[in-house]
Amino acid sequence: MAELKSPFRYDFVGSFLRPQHLKEARAQFRAGQIDRAALTAVENEEITRLIEKQKRAGYHAITDGEFRRSYWHLDFMWGFHGIEEVELDHGYFFHGEETTHGSIKVSGKISGENHPFVEHYKFVKQFEDENCIARQTMPAPAQLLAELYREDNGKNTDAVYPDHEQLIQDIAAAYRTVIQELYAAGCRNIQFDDCTWGMIGDPNYQNFLKESNTKVEDVAAEYLHLNNLALENRPEGLTITTHVCRGNYHSTWASEGDYFTVAPFLLAQENVDAFYLEFDDARSGSFEPLKYVADGKKVVLGLVTTKSPRLENKDTVITRIHEAEKYIPLERLCLSPQCGFASCEIGNKLTELEQWNKLKLVKKIAETVWGK
């Protein structure tokens, strides 16, 4: 496994459309019609099938598709000690659609021992072979902090953690615990998913901060500090990457704006090995901020959208790859869809066949640009 290191020339973000059988089983579990063991059996069955498809498609990363989750981020957060699952009276407001209402609440000291995702990882780990490596995805520490201060959540957070720096330290320590436990289980590839940077780059969010007398740079610096603190003392041989997008829910989006505001923080200073960056439409801006990427680090260009079944033109994508090459050498570039296909269990508005057609296109383009 040592020679298999993310990112790969053709890659994916990690979440996949949930099969109908799995959706039905999860609904039955929520309704009390089946128990946890019965649901786990269905999850195991469908994850096994997914990994077989990932391998047949020729991909070198394998994931569980996030099939055991309702959300790309909240289920992981609920796995920490000191954090409870709650329902708010509304969801996130995306472009033209409101999400479901899940969120988190601090109930005590945050810590990360015995996180359930370690067992989830072990199930995927058994399918590794000489051609593929198991990847564990999780929300970035900054995403957890942002959720703790989402609207009125901050009042409870400050009540439990009146010392804000202690909160930062405990979140980072909890992540380091999970990372160490994953590493002990054999994990060598972790991906942080992080929408906070897309949020910071949004002009509407920047105006909100201005109205509250908060500097954009201060928010970016705090998120960078927290993410890097969680990455301290990283085990040898562990690859950690991060994926950045602007929201992905039922083919809708939450924010817009280029990378210029965040590039001096994220791209220049975050201590990850590679960046999976959304670039599938005009909301992401130009490739010019790639000039900030620290030396030696790779960028995975998210040029193929997961929000639409429409297949991109191969030549157009290749042209865009070479446009990005103006700012970062081709040998440090890779290609993937811009996000997952089902960041939440509702999934995006395309079929499983269309999902795999997208991934076939990504592989075909990458092999054309970089060779087989």
Side-chain angles (χ1 to χ4, degrees):
M1 288 301 113
E3 57 275 358
L4 285 177
K5 294 185 66 173
S6 291
F8 302 104
R9 289 300 184 197
Y10 51 94
D11 214 327
F12 51 64
V13 171
S15 69
F16 284 73
L17 295 172
R18 311 312 199 249
Q20 187 61 32
H21 183 209
L22 176 60
K23 288 184 177 181
E24 291 171 356
R26 290 182 62 83
Q28 290 168 351
F29 175 73
R30 286 192 292 266
Q33 297 170 354
I34 61 173
D35 62 14
R36 170 62 70 180
L39 174 58
T40 299
V42 174
E43 291 171 342
N44 290 349
E45 176 186 349
E46 294 297 346
I47 290 168
T48 300
R49 288 177 178 168
L50 173 66
I51 292 172
E52 290 171 352
K53 292 177 180 178
Q54 291 170 346
K55 288 184 175 184
R56 285 201 303 270
Y59 279 75
H60 298 295
I62 54 174
T63 74
D64 63 7
E66 302 179 3
F67 281 8
R68 303 187 199 273
R69 308 186 211 180
S70 299
Y71 301 87
W72 64 276
H73 59 325
L74 296 178
D75 295 69
F76 179 82
M77 297 173 188
W78 297 332
F80 283 122
H81 298 282
I83 291 181
E84 296 180 354
E85 176 181 353
V86 297
E87 290 281 315
L88 303 181
D89 60 5
H90 61 80
Y92 304 95
F93 294 102
F94 274 55
H95 187 71
E97 188 161 351
E98 180 185 352
T99 74
T100 49
H101 297 184
S103 189
I104 61 175
K105 178 181 179 180
V106 177
S107 58
K109 179 179 173 60
I110 298 171
S111 64
E113 62 273 10
N114 301 313
H115 196 287
F117 274 40
V118 176
E119 292 302 315
H120 297 177
Y121 168 78
K122 289 178 181 178
F123 184 82
V124 180
K125 169 75 175 176
Q126 67 180 310
F127 297 102
E128 284 188 338
D129 57 35
E130 67 277 5
N131 295 313
C132 64
I133 187 170
R135 173 180 297 160
Q136 181 61 54
T137 65
M138 64 180 72
Q143 195 74 51
L144 172 57
L145 182 64
E147 189 68 23
L148 288 174
Y149 284 93
R150 175 183 165 195
E151 299 184 18
D152 289 342
N153 286 358
K155 296 177 183 177
N156 176 74
T157 300
D158 287 339
V160 177
Y161 272 99
D163 183 340
H164 187 70
E165 182 57 28
Q166 189 60 56
L167 172 65
I168 297 295
Q169 293 294 330
D170 283 358
I171 292 173
Y175 268 85
R176 290 196 298 269
T177 296
V178 176
I179 289 170
Q180 290 287 347
E181 291 189 1
L182 283 167
Y183 186 82
C187 184
R188 297 297 181 268
N189 183 196
I190 292 174
Q191 174 185 301
F192 282 171
D193 294 314
D194 200 344
C195 288
T196 61
W197 301 107
M199 175 182 70
I200 292 172
D202 190 306
N204 291 326
Y205 182 71
Q206 293 174 9
N207 289 335
F208 164 76
L209 291 179
K210 186 176 181 180
E211 291 172 0
S212 60
N213 295 316
T214 303
K215 293 182 179 179
V216 174
E217 295 81 5
D218 290 345
V219 176
E222 180 173 64
Y223 287 168
L224 175 69
H225 168 62
L226 174 55
N227 285 348
N228 281 345
L229 195 61
L231 294 173
E232 286 187 350
N233 302 314
R234 180 184 359 171
E236 184 178 352
L238 175 62
T239 298
I240 297 185
T241 63
T242 192
H243 162 245
V244 176
C245 82
R246 295 160 180 76
N248 188 53
Y249 181 86
H250 208 208
S251 293
T252 60
W253 50 271
S255 59
E256 56 187 327
D258 59 45
Y259 289 94
F260 277 106
T261 301
V262 303
F265 299 90
L266 170 70
L267 302 183
Q269 300 184 66
E270 188 156 301
N271 294 330
V272 294
D273 299 296
F275 304 94
Y276 292 71
L277 301 178
E278 180 179 70
F279 277 113
D280 64 322
D281 62 23
R283 289 184 303 109
S284 302
S286 74
F287 294 125
E288 187 177 353
L290 295 180
K291 66 187 180 183
Y292 287 94
V293 175
D295 289 345
K297 297 189 177 184
K298 293 184 177 181
V299 169
V300 185
L301 299 171
L303 297 175
V304 173
T305 191
T306 65
K307 288 181 165 64
S308 164
R310 177 187 55 82
L311 274 180
E312 285 78 358
N313 178 274
K314 177 183 173 183
D315 292 335
T316 300
V317 175
I318 291 173
T319 296
R320 296 200 68 201
I321 292 171
H322 290 302
E323 289 173 359
E325 189 185 2
K326 297 174 184 176
Y327 304 101
I328 187 168
L330 187 63
E331 62 266 20
R332 289 167 53 200
L333 293 174
C334 304
L335 179 66
S336 78
Q338 112 284 349
C339 195
F341 292 93
S343 298
C344 299
E345 60 184 334
I346 189 173
N348 282 345
K349 297 177 182 178
L350 69 169
T351 65
E352 287 192 48
L353 175 61
E354 290 163 342
Q355 168 185 262
W356 291 105
N357 284 341
K358 290 274 185 177
L359 290 170
K360 289 177 183 177
L361 177 64
V362 167
K363 183 174 184 286
K364 184 176 182 180
I365 292 172
E367 290 178 340
T368 299
V369 174
W370 291 282
K372 293 187 178 179

